[in-house]
Amino acid sequence: MGQSDYYKDRLFDDDFYTPEMKAQFVGWRMEVWLDKVLNDVESRGAANDKLQFYALMQASGFQSPEIYAIYHPRARTSCGAPSFDNPESLERFLREEMKYPVFTKPVHSNSARGTCLLTDFDVGTNELIHHDGTRVGVQKFVANIHDPRGLGYLFLEFLRPHEHIAHRCGDRLSALRVIVIVKPDGAKVIRAVWKVQTGDNIHDHFGRTGKTGNLCASIDMKTGRIGRVVGRVGLEQTEYECHPDTGQNLIGFQIPHWKELLSASKTAALVYPKLHFQHWDIAITGRGPV
């Protein structure tokens, strides 16, 4: 554990952590080491490339977002989705055929980098409309697409949350981060947290200290009920009982489809048998875990 872990995660604060919780803490340096020791390098690529990942999920019978379109200079394909290799063809598709709302992101990205939510297209002005009402011309949007790894850019189905989650958090998708260990005798889910969106965020990324404004909630692994919920106000980490936007109680909330989520996590983890230390983002929707 480094000094930055100690202060950023408030390990000095006995009001936030019991001695037992502190004993289980693993800092970011150890996480990097565990990844190198436990995970096969060749297998990691197939998990981080979202086109390969979605194809494997679909072929293995697991639910994942529908791919509406792919943008790549060599027209990569996956899951039967239309693929475009030049700006003009993608612009036409966005004007004439795209299903809105649509969630966009690079094929290889993390921490919500490069994500965007487009809610509609205005034929009269030839503009795409963002979730916050701002607009951008189709040509400008396509010209500014950023693909840092050269693996392509995705246009994905915008998933809706389960009605019980929407009641508490609003109509936005908050995924669970599920941590799975793959052992010789099978897979085991060892921990899960709920990443709760707030404000105008289109993503549920929490960050190491909650700097995004989102919340992070602990989950009782036996029951699927929410325990502590933490976030940040200014520079201070704080605890929440209710969602700051809806005012609905979060403590004790039962995650829908909890047993189904645990079962799906353990089974899906075996798609990558040489990745022994896995993190999954699973959203609970009206059609179950996705």
Side-chain angles (χ1 to χ4, degrees), residues 15 29 50 54 57 87-88 95 139 147 159 181 183 215 222 230 232 254 281:
D15 291 334
R29 293 171 179 81
K50 292 179 177 62
Y54 290 139
M57 290 299 99
E88 293 76 20
R95 292 188 188 100
Q139 188 174 20
D147 174 18
L159 297 169
I181 297 294
K183 304 187 294 181
L215 309 180
K222 292 182 180 179
V230 298
R232 192 168 88 171
Q254 172 68 59
D281 280 342

Side-chain angles (χ1 to χ4, degrees), residues 141-196:
F141 176 84
V142 173
N144 289 335
I145 284 178
H146 182 51
D147 174 18
R149 298 295 184 95
L151 294 176
Y153 198 82
L154 289 173
F155 295 81
L156 299 170
E157 171 191 10
F158 180 61
L159 297 169
R160 300 290 186 180
H162 187 280
E163 60 179 341
H164 293 168
I165 293 177
H167 175 67
R168 280 169 171 75
C169 304
D171 189 21
R172 47 196 164 194
L173 204 66
S174 297
L176 283 78
R177 172 61 57 88
V178 183
I179 302 176
V180 185
I181 297 294
V182 177
K183 304 187 294 181
D185 59 346
K188 179 181 180 181
V189 178
I190 62 169
R191 195 166 302 246
V193 296
W194 185 23
K195 303 183 294 177
V196 182

Side-chain angles (χ1 to χ4, degrees), residues 1 5 37 244 266 290:
M1 181 198 309
D5 294 319
V37 171
K266 291 186 288 187
V290 178

Side-chain angles (χ1 to χ4, degrees), residues 200-216:
D200 292 328
N201 284 334
I202 62 169
H203 59 79
D204 58 14
H205 181 56
F206 180 73
R208 291 190 61 222
T209 60
K211 62 182 179 180
T212 63
N214 290 328
L215 309 180
C216 186

Side-chain angles (χ1 to χ4, degrees), residues 17-219:
Y17 301 105
T18 65
E20 291 76 18
M21 293 168 68
K22 291 183 180 182
Q24 296 178 23
F25 185 85
V26 176
W28 68 268
R29 293 171 179 81
M30 182 61 73
E31 182 179 357
V32 173
W33 180 81
L34 286 170
D35 182 40
K36 291 181 179 179
V37 171
L38 297 176
N39 290 333
D40 175 68
V41 175
E42 295 179 356
S43 299
R44 192 186 293 118
N48 292 336
D49 184 326
K50 292 179 177 62
L51 281 181
Q52 293 187 47
F53 172 79
Y54 290 139
L56 280 171
M57 290 299 99
Q58 188 178 95
S60 302
F62 298 104
Q63 294 196 85
S64 60
E66 180 183 351
I67 302 176
Y68 287 166
I70 304 165
Y71 183 49
H72 187 266
R74 292 180 297 280
R76 292 186 71 192
T77 60
S78 181
C79 304
S83 183
F84 304 96
D85 60 4
N86 63 82
E88 293 76 20
S89 60
L90 178 60
E91 291 166 18
R92 184 199 60 77
F93 186 82
L94 291 172
R95 292 188 188 100
E96 301 175 9
E97 298 183 51
M98 179 61 75
K99 293 184 286 185
Y100 295 96
V102 60
F103 193 73
T104 75
K105 62 169 67 176
V107 168
H108 190 294
S109 67
N110 53 38
S111 303
R113 295 184 181 92
T115 59
C116 177
L117 173 58
L118 302 174
T119 58
D120 208 348
F121 171 69
D122 188 326
V123 178
T125 62
N126 195 37
E127 292 176 317
L128 295 164
I129 304 174
H130 289 273
H131 74 287
D132 59 0
T134 58
R135 295 164 173 256
V136 61
V138 175
Q139 188 174 20
K140 182 177 181 181
F141 176 84
V142 173
N144 289 335
I145 284 178
H146 182 51
D147 174 18
R149 298 295 184 95
L151 294 176
Y153 198 82
L154 289 173
F155 295 81
L156 299 170
E157 171 191 10
F158 180 61
L159 297 169
R160 300 290 186 180
H162 187 280
E163 60 179 341
H164 293 168
I165 293 177
H167 175 67
R168 280 169 171 75
C169 304
D171 189 21
R172 47 196 164 194
L173 204 66
S174 297
L176 283 78
R177 172 61 57 88
V178 183
I179 302 176
V180 185
I181 297 294
V182 177
K183 304 187 294 181
D185 59 346
K188 179 181 180 181
V189 178
I190 62 169
R191 195 166 302 246
V193 296
W194 185 23
K195 303 183 294 177
V196 182
Q197 283 173 275
T198 66
D200 292 328
N201 284 334
I202 62 169
H203 59 79
D204 58 14
H205 181 56
F206 180 73
R208 291 190 61 222
T209 60
K211 62 182 179 180
T212 63
N214 290 328
L215 309 180
C216 186
S218 66
I219 304 174

